[in-house]
Amino acid sequence: MTQVLDPARPLYTGADWDYPLIRKAYDAIEAVAVGEMGLDPYPGQVEIISSEQMLDAYASMGMPVFYRHWSFGKHFARDEMYYRKGMTGLAYEIVINSNPCLCYIMEENTMTLQTLVMAHAAFGHSHFFKNNQLFRSWTDAESILDYLEFAKGYVARCEERYGQREVERVLDAAHALMTHGVHRYPRRQPLNLQEEMDRRRARVRHEEQTFNDLWRTLPQKRDGDGEDTAAEVRDRRQALGLPEENLLYFLEKRAPKLEHWQREILRIVRMVSQYFYPQKQTKVMNEGCATAVHYHIMTRLHETGRLTDGAFMEFLHHHTNVVFQPGFEDPRFSGINPYALGFHILQDLKRMALEPTGEDRRWFPDIAGCGDFLGVWKHAWAEYRDESFILQFLGPKVMRDLRLFALRDDAREPHLTVEAIHDDAGYREVRRALSAQYDLARHEPDIQVVDVDLAGDRRLILEHRTQDGRLLAEKDAHRVLAHLARLWGYPVRLYEVDARSEAVLNEYGDVEPRED
């Protein structure tokens, strides 16, 4: 049922907040978000935390419950030092993709800022989490917190039983491979973390039977010259499900020397990595959605008298800081601000739907003049990720407003070349080039397990399929391969192959497992 706002009285008049005011503001936000905008968020749960608790959440990947690892303490010490010295600020809030949606807001915030972050997180982010296809396919908001509680307890029990050092070694290796621990394509069934916990004991019993039979024999000697035929290699790869891009999954299922508790830790890290996978692909959309939602809600509250002029001016100050985009020549420029890009695209879609120009009708005939900007927003939030969102909805006006242009940076040339400016061909090239920058395949190396001879020397063969001639950083590659070899238990070899020509560009010879 649509809630009716009381236009006569402001929600608050000062900077101080208390819990009844938080409740009152939340209800007013909900009346606009759900009653007027028709958003569909998870039920909200707002928690007030201190700056130290915020720093603690920073250190543990933004999660309220997590297993222990030394790297989290290192991150906490670093962030706390920067914060205490005034070298960096803290986020206004942290929001958890869970049901109910947990929204953590800082006790140091003013009442206006509390109102802003609840609109931003508890309704903007929450609607996006619940309705975007990537999150619907890859995350289980119903049981993620229960699973993290299980993971925390399981790792703690392993430390008690096997020793902190042994558990730490497994976690170090798993964290090094974390970005290579995701399935990039949806399975037929959505991820259900509660069922994963329920099946753990049955899975261990099954693995005891499977792994004992698989690994109890020693490598066999070969007859003849020892070379495998093409048919033998093909059959071997097919039996092992190769190639496999999820390295943690392969190690969990196939590593010959891992104990069952070590496999379970790999699984925990893999599940956490999979949980965060959609967030890496939707940074612009997710923040753009939350920013556009909070801007609309705060504006409506001001229009109906629920926010004073002073509170609205304070809001605009925070909002403009969030969406500020330094120019290319500005010393503060460090790339495209995802808040700014997402918000500008969504505001441009709203303008096109309500007040289109001739240019809009040529570029976006289905949107221009449709009148339903909320419908356009919800469709975009539900069906796209950053790469496709930019390719589909980035328009000429936004490119002009943000002064976007395309550069070609060729290491063999002494100068940069401007390849696209503000004309029809340039707009299309800028949009294509910017969209490509949000393609994860261009930022995360495509490394796959391609072969392993279980009956031979058990050497693990990996392949890095390169794009645009970009090779791995040698020092980092050796360190990660050392972690991989430690988990596998036998030598690991990596080939870097050009994805187009199949030519071998580089080789990392056998990396042997070693003890620290």
Side-chain angles (χ1 to χ4, degrees):
M1 183 177 68
T2 302
Q3 300 183 46
V4 179
L5 295 175
D6 177 8
R9 302 181 59 184
L11 295 169
Y12 55 89
T13 55
D16 294 336
W17 61 268
D18 56 31
Y19 290 102
L21 277 183
I22 294 290
R23 176 76 259 182
K24 185 178 180 182
Y26 185 94
D27 291 341
I29 294 167
E30 185 175 33
V32 178
V34 178
E36 294 186 13
M37 299 180 70
L39 299 186
D40 180 28
Y42 289 119
Q45 181 175 327
V46 178
E47 302 283 349
I48 312 294
I49 62 175
S50 66
S51 59
E52 184 168 332
Q53 289 173 310
M54 182 70 78
L55 286 164
D56 188 52
Y58 273 18
S60 56
M61 301 186 187
M63 303 304 290
V65 180
F66 220 60
Y67 54 79
R68 293 180 297 183
H69 188 250
W70 62 267
S71 64
F72 302 151
K74 182 185 75 171
H75 294 158
F76 178 88
R78 178 199 63 192
D79 294 339
E80 183 184 37
M81 179 193 68
Y82 287 155
Y83 175 65
R84 301 303 178 197
K85 291 185 176 183
M87 299 170 65
T88 186
L90 296 180
Y92 296 146
E93 42 74 29
I94 287 181
V95 60
I96 309 300
N97 174 26
S98 60
N99 185 11
C101 182
L102 295 182
C103 176
Y104 293 90
I105 58 181
M106 288 182 60
E107 62 184 7
E108 290 89 345
N109 293 346
T110 66
M111 186 59 209
T112 295
L113 197 48
Q114 305 291 36
T115 307
L116 163 62
V117 297
M118 286 191 292
H120 181 94
F123 292 91
H125 280 311
S126 182
H127 174 90
F128 191 87
F129 289 148
K130 186 177 181 181
N131 293 278
N132 180 264
Q133 285 293 342
L134 279 174
F135 284 89
R136 290 167 63 89
S137 299
W138 285 125
T139 61
D140 178 20
E142 299 289 339
S143 57
I144 179 60
L145 296 180
D146 290 337
Y147 185 78
L148 291 177
E149 187 68 43
F150 152 76
K152 178 181 179 180
Y154 185 85
V155 171
R157 290 192 296 274
C158 287
E159 289 178 337
E160 293 175 0
R161 183 171 181 179
Y162 305 106
Q164 183 176 351
R165 178 58 182 157
E166 288 302 311
V167 174
E168 190 175 89
R169 284 160 50 83
V170 177
L171 283 173
D172 286 348
H175 284 184
L177 296 166
M178 201 168 186
T179 57
H180 306 288
V182 298
H183 293 297
R184 291 178 171 83
Y185 302 97
R187 307 291 167 144
R188 284 183 294 181
Q189 296 296 327
L191 185 67
N192 189 305
L193 298 175
Q194 185 64 47
E195 292 180 4
E196 289 295 331
M197 291 189 292
D198 295 340
R199 290 200 300 260
R200 186 178 70 83
R201 291 186 178 180
R203 184 169 64 246
V204 169
R205 287 195 298 269
H206 171 73
E207 287 173 348
E208 287 174 350
Q209 300 172 2
T210 302
F211 284 111
N212 287 344
D213 290 339
L214 182 60
W215 299 112
R216 64 186 176 183
T217 58
L218 295 174
Q220 300 296 314
K221 294 182 178 180
R222 300 182 181 280
D223 296 329
D225 59 8
E227 294 293 330
D228 293 330
T229 66
E232 289 174 331
V233 172
R234 183 184 63 250
D235 291 344
R236 182 169 69 220
R237 291 180 177 180
Q238 183 177 1
L240 293 173
L242 301 179
E244 174 58 66
E245 64 179 358
N246 191 329
L247 303 188
L248 287 180
Y249 176 81
F250 182 83
L251 292 169
E252 174 197 334
K253 300 300 181 185
R254 302 292 184 182
K257 294 185 176 182
L258 292 182
E259 300 291 339
H260 297 304
W261 67 270
Q262 295 171 316
R263 299 183 196 279
E264 192 64 37
I265 288 180
L266 293 189
R267 187 176 187 85
I268 287 171
V269 174
R270 179 169 65 83
M271 299 291 272
V272 171
S273 183
Q274 195 73 64
Y275 171 83
F276 285 108
Y277 183 59
Q279 300 191 28
K280 295 192 292 184
Q281 300 183 81
T282 57
K283 180 69 173 178
V284 171
M285 289 184 63
N286 202 343
E287 297 299 353
C289 168
T291 306
V293 166
H294 85 226
Y295 184 81
H296 184 92
I297 291 173
M298 297 295 281
T299 301
R300 286 290 297 131
L301 291 177
H302 179 243
E303 290 173 346
T304 55
R306 306 312 301 274
L307 289 184
T308 64
D309 291 344
F312 192 65
M313 290 297 292
E314 181 188 347
F315 154 70
L316 289 177
H317 171 74
H318 293 300
H319 172 77
T320 52
N321 285 340
V322 167
V323 300
F324 173 65
Q325 175 60 59
F328 178 78
E329 71 286 354
D330 194 309
R332 295 167 293 180
F333 180 83
S334 60
I336 304 296
N337 178 357
Y339 294 82
L341 182 59
F343 178 72
H344 275 79
I345 292 176
L346 291 170
Q347 290 300 105
D348 196 41
L349 292 176
K350 177 180 178 179
R351 179 195 58 78
M352 285 189 280
L354 301 178
E355 300 175 355
T357 64
E359 181 182 59
D360 299 329
R361 297 187 187 279
R362 285 190 294 110
W363 281 76
F364 301 96
D366 295 334
I367 297 174
C370 71
D372 182 17
F373 74 91
L374 286 172
V376 175
W377 282 5
K378 292 173 188 176
H379 170 71
W381 296 336
E383 302 298 336
Y384 293 84
R385 58 184 179 183
D386 286 348
E387 177 191 0
S388 56
F389 174 71
I390 292 169
L391 193 60
Q392 180 69 25
F393 297 113
L394 178 61
K397 184 177 185 303
V398 174
M399 287 183 258
R400 290 193 296 267
D401 291 344
L402 296 180
R403 300 181 179 181
L404 301 179
F405 57 93
L407 287 175
R408 180 167 64 88
D409 184 4
D410 192 329
R412 297 167 297 182
E413 299 292 336
H415 304 291
L416 300 174
T417 303
V418 177
E419 286 202 326
I421 57 174
H422 294 169
D423 54 29
D424 271 6
Y427 290 136
R428 299 182 193 281
E429 175 59 23
V430 168
R431 184 167 66 179
R432 183 205 61 77
L434 185 58
S435 170
Q437 291 187 16
Y438 290 90
D439 181 2
L440 278 187
R442 296 174 60 89
H443 302 286
E444 295 185 352
D446 178 13
I447 298 177
Q448 303 178 15
V449 178
V450 295
D451 196 14
V452 56
D453 186 359
L454 302 182
D457 56 16
R458 293 179 178 170
R459 178 184 291 107
L460 190 65
I461 307 298
L462 297 98
E463 189 174 272
H464 171 215
R465 303 188 65 81
T466 66
Q467 292 196 21
D468 304 324
R470 291 185 293 178
L471 302 179
L472 299 172
E474 184 175 349
K475 186 177 180 180
D476 291 340
H478 276 295
R479 288 178 174 176
V480 175
L481 288 173
H483 283 297
L484 179 58
R486 182 183 299 136
L487 293 174
W488 178 247
Y490 292 92
V492 174
R493 181 179 297 174
L494 172 68
Y495 295 97
E496 296 196 86
V497 178
D498 184 86
R500 294 183 178 178
S501 67
E502 300 294 329
V504 176
L505 305 177
N506 191 25
E507 175 184 346
Y508 291 89
D510 293 343
V511 178
E512 300 284 346
R514 60 182 176 83
E515 298 293 328
D516 290 339

